Amino acid sequence: MTHQHPATAARGLQRSEALARAELLEVTSYDVTLDLASSEETFASTTRLDFTSRGGSTFVDLKPRSVRSIHLNGRPVDVDLLQRGRVPLETIEGPNQLVVDAVMAFRNDGEGLHRSVDPADGRHYVYGMSFMDAAPSIFACFDQPDLKAPYTFHVRAPEDWVVVGNSPGTNPEPGVWELGPSKPLSTYFVTLVAGPYHLLRDEHDGIPLGLSCRQSIAADLEADADELLTLTRQSFDEMHRLFGIRYPFGDYHQAFVPEFNAGAMENPGCVTFRDPLVFTSRVTRGQRISRATTVAHEMAHQWFGNITTPLWWDDLWLNESFAEYMGNRVTAAVTEYDDAWVQNAYARRQWGLLADQRPSTHPVAGNGEDDATAALQNFDGISYAKGSSILKQLNATMGDEVFLAGVRDHLHGHFYGNATMHDLLDSWTRAGAGDLDAFADSWLVTAGPDRIVLDRGTGDAPGEARLLRTPPEGHPADRSHTLRAATRGPDDAAWQVRELVVDAAETAYDVGAGEAVLLDPFEDTWAVTEPDPVTMSRLPDLVGSTDDPMLRAGMWNSVRSAFHHARVAPGAVLDLLEPWLVVEDQDAAVQFTLGWVLAKVVPLAADPAAASARVHVAALAAARTADAGSTLQLAAYQAAVSSCASTEVLEGWLMGRDLPPGVELDLALRWRVLVRLAVLGAVDRESLDAHLEAEPTAVSRVEHTRAVASLPTAEAKAWAWERFNGAATAPNYELEAAGEGMWRAGQEELLAPYVERYFDELPGTAEVHSGWVLADVAEAFFPLSSLDETTVRRAHALLARDDLDSSLRRRVVDTTDELEHRLAVVRAYREA
């Protein structure tokens, strides 16, 4: 899902402009001819766009390197009229035809027509990402979601390339490909995947299936093909059953493409995935679950988004929240990954809760975005995790029969069309759900989560306690929560589960002396919950007393929320971590929790080095006691590497010495060790270059960048900074890795000059980066390790500027809020 070429940057489409253009036009068809064979930097693009008009002024979106000619109804249009990505048009009433002959630039930021070179073998690969403002850098178009039309593509490519797109294609002669016409598509769904891709084909229930990837990772795709195709077949069968509508877009190809920004994009007929999802090293079960839910998520989009598309970006939840919910539901119901909801609890819950508590929070639906480019920033944890959670609780309230009947009515009523939130609510009402206006007001169009905590009163005697429900500041809502609580008294032999309704600011609650209480551990509602002090003190002794993985996930989410708000000390987190690691059997739990502890808890401890050492000892012990070769062992060992302070141990591991039995250093683990050695200053640039030269894969390129940027030298930080300010160019994954590697805890003195430079130079990055990458670079290079009030003041001064790009503003708002919360933890516990 994602922008525009820096040389032709345009302001985002305004909603008012989209409404006016949709009122004026109906698009009949696109016929696009692309020549991908004549240059490695540019490609010829000729668009024949047929449409009808009521007659009058409008504009076409176009972001070319150059324009050869433009003709409207056979008459030339002055190419000099092209300004900031738009060409004004004077249409006639009735049929119109626009023909645009242009030269476009290949891109390397994951958007438009992205072209990359595989470092492993020098082969070139291309894919199209038309999402949100990027389509006009491939072909001339009316770029808005509600002007759908069928597409036909004629493509010339090198003769050893294969070309796949939204509709089945033919290869009538070497280097020539014909695709389409497609079903009616929004511009942001249009894609081409072209290059010497390794291609696998199969079929299920009459649907042609395909998989593709770069040649250098073909063996890895072959190894995973059975799993991927099985997941695809199972998901198709279940979604056909649930929706009662067969997949209508012909072939279903899943292309794993290099340097892709998002996890995947739901292009009808040709879904694109980031190709690290073709696993080239050993991964945990949690990572396989994440890939499985991504496969199901993109398939759900074929109904939610592709058959029925939001009218405008303020209803993007009609895409993402549904796909998130259905992806997890279907994966858990019909695939081998029946624990998908547990993995989701660790991977997604806090992502959504934190986004919903930031100053940038927005409603799930009707978020009010009037600018298409700014709306990209709302593809966040609210649109995905929060929306999914609300759909899950809505399903529990109205029941599956009514829920699915309303969905079917909605899809049938807007087949190949566009719809709004109110259209869906009307469908559910017709299906028997009753009046949903109050629900929508409270949960969908009011931002922020309620906070629900236990107040034991003056003691913890029965009858004194209350559950306190606090609405988010500035976003009042009178929400009723139906949830479960897990309790454990001092004399209880097991955890007890009780159902509660919290529908007032204060709700009486009976709690026994010393009783531990976990609120909403099973994610029945959307709210921030935190353990009270009595519960927190008991958790280290109780963490091993349940075999319910969701209960443990709920415990950790509650602790993470409390830590974020400086109500739990870093030391208390580590006190819980150590006994928990001994009993945890879910590798997703280990991977995500240890990753969070190392990134957020350890740096804020009174003695970060001592805190890291505690994590290392616990993680290495877990790696040595786990079943040899298990993915649980892998997750623990990854954390042991990232927390190791001994260069001697790390160098031994790199040479294969003293590894936990069952651990074998593959490419990913070797680079993890090398990155850690780089952080410690125990490896030099020459050695890192040698490791890259020995295995010049795409993974190696990214991790080499991370390692070089992590070196505690002035030269390394200057090298990373050149990628931030555009003095040196790098593909999107390497840009992000450079930022993540640069800001290392413990290197504050070396990094001090770059704190001020970040805030001074960030506005100028809009001239060298664009779209998705622009925002990601702003976040990756933000000085989060600069735990100083001066950094916060500089951030707010930058945010006070009126000319700051909206994508940059959103990321600075969010990262500044994160820094302020980290400083609150430091003030509360490090300075105490």
Side-chain angles (χ1 to χ4, degrees):
M1 6 208 75
T2 96
H3 269 317
Q4 54 205 23
H5 195 282
T8 56
R11 73 188 182 107
L13 179 71
Q14 304 300 295
R15 185 172 190 171
S16 58
E17 295 171 326
L19 287 169
R21 192 158 61 174
E23 178 68 22
L24 184 70
L25 308 178
E26 289 185 12
V27 185
T28 307
S29 67
Y30 285 87
D31 188 284
V32 181
T33 300
L34 302 179
D35 182 355
L36 310 182
S38 57
S39 169
E40 295 181 1
E41 295 184 358
T42 61
F43 60 95
S45 170
T46 302
T47 306
R48 190 183 74 219
L49 206 173
D50 288 291
F51 62 97
T52 59
S53 173
R54 295 176 181 270
S57 301
T58 188
F59 59 91
V60 67
D61 300 292
L62 179 64
K63 299 172 183 176
R65 175 68 62 85
S66 63
V67 181
R68 293 168 173 164
S69 65
I70 304 174
H71 288 82
L72 177 61
N73 300 321
R75 295 183 177 182
V77 175
D78 185 354
V79 298
D80 291 335
L81 293 174
L82 173 65
Q83 296 290 329
R84 300 185 63 80
R86 297 178 176 183
V87 178
L89 301 174
E90 287 297 327
T91 68
I92 60 173
E93 185 175 356
N96 288 254
Q97 185 177 86
L98 178 71
V99 179
V100 177
D101 186 359
V103 176
M104 306 294 199
F106 287 114
R107 296 169 64 167
N108 74 340
D109 59 359
E111 301 182 56
L113 212 53
H114 179 103
R115 185 170 186 140
S116 65
V117 180
D118 188 345
D121 57 19
R123 290 184 171 104
H124 289 238
Y125 294 91
V126 167
Y127 65 85
M129 179 59 163
S130 296
F131 185 77
M132 198 72 80
D133 252 9
S137 66
I138 305 175
F139 57 96
C141 57
F142 298 124
D143 191 23
Q144 60 191 72
D146 57 338
L147 288 178
K148 291 184 170 183
Y151 286 78
T152 300
F153 272 85
H154 317 275
V155 181
R156 192 168 78 85
E159 292 185 6
D160 63 334
W161 285 20
V162 294
V163 178
V164 180
N166 299 103
S167 50
T170 61
N171 182 201
E173 61 182 87
V176 175
W177 296 81
E178 303 288 336
L179 298 89
S182 70
K183 301 297 185 184
L185 306 178
S186 298
T187 49
Y188 77 91
F189 292 139
V190 177
T191 192
L192 282 174
V193 175
Y197 283 93
H198 179 65
L199 189 64
L200 300 176
R201 295 199 182 278
D202 205 330
E203 182 273 341
H204 177 66
D205 193 22
I207 302 169
L209 306 179
L211 301 171
S212 61
C213 71
R214 290 177 288 125
Q215 291 288 343
S216 64
I217 57 174
D220 301 292
L221 181 63
E222 295 273 1
D224 274 359
D226 183 63
E227 178 180 332
L228 288 165
L229 291 169
T230 298
L231 291 168
T232 302
R233 296 183 194 105
Q234 292 167 328
S235 298
F236 260 132
D237 289 346
E238 179 69 353
M239 291 189 193
H240 285 157
R241 184 186 72 83
L242 293 173
F243 304 142
I245 299 171
R246 280 187 59 79
Y247 170 72
F249 295 105
D251 292 6
Y252 193 73
H253 189 84
Q254 296 174 98
F256 295 86
V257 298
E259 300 169 353
F260 196 71
N261 286 319
M265 179 64 201
E266 65 270 18
N267 316 301
C270 184
V271 177
T272 43
F273 295 82
R274 57 168 50 216
D275 72 5
L277 290 176
V278 176
F279 301 133
T280 57
S281 295
R282 287 192 68 227
V283 296
T284 62
R285 176 180 172 85
Q287 287 170 283
R288 290 191 178 276
I289 295 173
S290 179
R291 183 174 69 178
T293 58
T294 301
V295 167
H297 175 113
E298 302 309 320
M299 191 175 293
H301 270 310
Q302 307 308 310
W303 288 265
F304 293 104
N306 298 5
I307 289 177
T308 303
T309 309
L311 191 67
W312 181 249
W313 301 114
D314 62 342
D315 270 327
L316 62 87
W317 78 286
L318 292 170
N319 284 11
E320 299 306 339
S321 301
F322 268 95
E324 183 86 352
Y325 170 61
M326 297 306 302
N328 285 295
R329 171 177 168 161
V330 168
T331 301
V334 301
T335 78
E336 64 179 293
Y337 300 117
D338 55 0
D339 49 345
W341 285 113
V342 177
Q343 194 272 349
N344 182 74
Y346 285 104
R348 308 291 262 188
R349 181 76 168 183
Q350 284 296 314
W351 177 45
L353 283 173
L354 288 180
D356 209 19
Q357 296 173 81
R358 301 288 191 203
S360 59
T361 186
H362 57 84
V364 175
N367 56 50
E369 281 293 1
D370 288 326
D371 183 289
T373 304
L376 173 62
Q377 300 307 310
N378 288 338
F379 280 76
D380 57 14
I382 296 169
S383 303
Y384 289 76
K386 180 181 181 179
S388 169
S389 179
I390 290 171
L391 287 172
K392 188 179 179 185
Q393 69 189 63
L394 181 62
N395 178 278
T397 300
M398 69 173 62
D400 222 30
E401 183 176 348
V402 171
F403 183 88
L404 291 173
V407 165
R408 292 167 185 153
D409 180 81
H410 178 70
L411 295 172
H412 279 293
H414 304 279
F415 213 91
Y416 295 143
N418 300 81
T420 67
M421 173 186 73
H422 297 292
D423 294 324
L424 177 60
L425 297 181
D426 288 345
S427 288
W428 271 326
T429 299
R430 285 192 294 272
D435 187 355
L436 293 172
D437 287 346
F439 174 88
D441 288 344
S442 293
W443 293 100
L444 295 176
V445 300
T446 301
D450 290 348
R451 177 173 178 258
I452 303 175
V453 294
L454 173 63
D455 175 14
R456 294 177 186 256
T458 57
D460 58 0
E464 293 186 359
R466 303 166 298 163
L467 295 176
L468 305 182
R469 183 200 67 184
T470 307
E473 185 176 354
H475 304 282
D478 187 17
R479 302 184 181 106
S480 177
H481 300 264
T482 300
L483 63 140
R484 287 169 286 174
T487 64
R488 183 75 180 266
D491 300 323
D492 288 343
W495 287 88
Q496 308 297 314
V497 178
R498 57 188 292 193
E499 186 170 296
L500 308 168
V501 175
V502 179
D503 58 2
E506 297 184 6
T507 302
Y509 184 84
D510 290 333
V511 62
E515 184 176 70
V517 179
L518 291 174
L519 297 173
D520 194 33
F522 306 108
E523 301 183 4
D524 298 313
T525 191
W526 184 256
V528 173
T529 62
E530 301 170 9
D532 68 283
V534 171
T535 298
M536 190 67 204
S537 69
R538 291 202 61 204
L539 285 181
D541 294 327
L542 295 177
V543 67
S545 64
T546 178
D547 58 3
D548 187 333
M550 275 301 296
L551 183 58
R552 295 195 299 271
M555 173 196 74
W556 273 114
N557 276 319
S558 184
V559 170
R560 287 177 66 173
S561 288
F563 181 81
H564 178 70
H565 291 290
R567 287 187 271 267
V568 166
V573 175
L574 298 180
D575 290 343
L576 176 59
L577 180 82
E578 289 162 330
W580 166 77
L581 258 181
V582 176
V583 299
E584 185 54 65
D585 60 1
Q586 300 275 321
D587 63 33
V590 172
Q591 193 166 37
F592 281 100
T593 303
L594 286 174
W596 167 73
V597 168
L598 287 171
K600 289 195 176 183
V601 179
V602 165
L604 307 185
D607 185 344
S612 183
R614 286 181 68 180
V615 175
H616 176 71
V617 169
L620 186 56
R624 294 194 182 281
T625 57
D627 290 342
S630 67
T631 58
L632 187 66
Q633 179 188 57
L634 175 62
Y637 180 70
Q638 289 169 340
V641 171
S642 297
S643 56
C644 185
S646 169
T647 59
E648 182 180 356
V649 169
L650 289 165
E651 289 169 351
W653 284 346
L654 195 61
M655 299 300 292
R657 298 194 306 266
D658 301 322
L659 292 165
V663 171
E664 295 182 6
L665 282 197
D666 55 19
L667 182 66
L669 285 178
R670 280 197 300 278
W671 275 107
R672 183 177 287 266
V673 174
L674 286 166
V675 168
R676 184 59 183 165
L677 284 167
V679 172
L680 298 174
V683 67
D684 59 23
R685 172 68 185 275
E686 184 178 352
S687 178
L688 293 172
D689 290 349
H691 280 280
L692 173 61
E693 186 177 351
E695 289 185 278
T697 68
V699 170
S700 296
R701 282 281 296 271
V702 173
E703 295 309 312
H704 173 267
T705 297
R706 192 186 317 278
V708 171
S710 300
L711 290 167
T713 67
E715 294 78 11
K717 303 311 175 186
W719 180 88
W721 198 252
E722 288 178 341
R723 281 137 187 81
F724 171 77
N725 63 23
T729 59
N732 45 359
Y733 288 9
E734 292 171 41
L735 284 170
E736 194 171 354
E740 292 168 351
M742 181 172 179
W743 294 97
R744 293 291 185 178
Q747 299 179 359
E748 286 79 13
E749 185 175 345
L750 186 64
L751 290 164
Y754 290 98
V755 176
E756 186 171 357
R757 288 188 66 180
Y758 174 86
F759 297 109
D760 288 344
E761 297 178 30
L762 181 68
T765 61
E767 301 300 318
V768 293
H769 305 302
S770 62
W772 196 299
V773 167
L774 175 64
D776 283 351
V777 166
E779 181 174 342
F781 279 87
F782 187 93
L784 268 177
S785 63
S786 180
L787 298 170
D788 191 295
E789 293 290 351
T790 303
T791 307
V792 174
R793 288 196 293 272
R794 285 174 173 153
H796 284 293
L798 175 62
L799 291 170
R801 291 180 50 163
D802 294 333
D803 61 343
L804 189 63
D805 177 272
S806 61
S807 297
L808 297 177
R809 181 178 302 281
R810 170 65 181 272
R811 295 302 177 94
V812 174
V813 165
D814 288 350
T815 46
T816 302
D817 181 69
E818 177 62 31
L819 178 60
E820 289 174 321
H821 278 85
R822 294 188 186 192
L823 280 168
V825 174
V826 169
R827 286 193 297 268
Y829 300 108
R830 186 184 289 182
E831 299 171 2

